[in-house]
Amino acid sequence: DSGVTQTPKHLITATGQRVTLRCSPRSGDLSVYWYQQSLDQGLQFLIQYYNGEERAKGNILERFSAQQFPDLHSELNLSSLELGDSALYFCASSQVAGSPLHFGNGTRLTVT
Amino acid sequence: QQQVKQSPQSLIVQKGGISIINCAYENTAFDYFPWYQQFPGKGPALLIAIRPDVSEKKEGRFTISFNKSAKQFSLHIMDSQPGDSATYFCAASITSGTYKYIFGTGTRLKVLA
């Protein structure tokens, strides 16, 4: 168990809808990362937060947004969903720069 | 310059054999190179990692070989077991500033019993 908690585990929704994915980092970890993994694909970096502030942005669509709250949990908001957004979304956390990433078990999003 | 190229895409090895997965990078600013193991339905888990000041790191049956001049690193799994069957990702990171991890595209390893 990595200590990173992601909810929900599965999400099925229709095109055009909006969903929120939640991540609770490991105790003591200040950094949260979001990754997208499509079927049989690698891990695409979306965005990173450190202690509530955005630190780095990857290939995150404008329809997607995220934030990290004072209690360090993070939410990834996906709006105007398209079929191609169906994927596994992983959250990872790390203590400080230079420390390993610890991944949650992901949220599987299916857009129908 | 931000890419990490990983090969092969898939690998089948007999039980007891050696599994070798290779990665190459371009950005010389990368200073941390971890390998992650992912089982179906689970998130990736850190397996072993190396920094560029050493050429090799071994943990049990898993060894990372690092070639700084060639900008390449590889994972060797000795005495491969069916339980090692998983997807393996290499990654590279710059441990300062934005501290962004870049992952390879993954290698699906199957170890035959």
Side-chain angles (χ1 to χ4, degrees), chain B residues 47-48 56-64 75-80 84:
Chain B
L47 189 61
I48 186 172
E56 186 174 283
K57 184 173 181 180
K58 185 175 180 179
E59 289 184 3
R61 296 184 294 107
F62 300 91
T63 300
I64 300 179
L75 176 69
H76 292 64
I77 306 174
M78 313 300 287
D79 187 26
S80 298
D84 297 330

Side-chain angles (χ1 to χ4, degrees), chain B residues 10-74:
Chain B
S10 62
L11 184 59
I12 299 175
V13 173
Q14 293 288 337
K15 179 182 175 182
I18 302 174
S19 305
I20 302 174
I21 305 170
N22 301 299
C23 284
Y25 64 97
E26 290 293 326
N27 190 344
T28 56
F30 288 137
D31 60 358
Y32 181 65
F33 302 89
W35 284 89
Y36 284 81
Q37 179 188 54
Q38 184 181 26
F39 292 105
K42 299 290 186 181
L46 179 66
L47 189 61
I48 186 172
I50 197 168
R51 296 191 186 273
D53 52 345
V54 296
S55 60
E56 186 174 283
K57 184 173 181 180
K58 185 175 180 179
E59 289 184 3
R61 296 184 294 107
F62 300 91
T63 300
I64 300 179
S65 296
F66 186 83
N67 186 329
K68 190 173 181 178
S69 61
K71 292 185 282 188
Q72 294 175 347
F73 57 110
S74 59

Side-chain angles (χ1 to χ4, degrees), chain A residues 63-83:
Chain A
R63 301 183 285 108
F64 296 0
S65 64
Q67 59 184 129
Q68 186 180 28
F69 295 87
D71 67 352
L72 301 178
H73 91 272
S74 179
E75 292 180 356
L76 178 67
N77 300 296
L78 314 176
S79 62
S80 303
L81 285 168
E82 302 175 359
L83 295 178

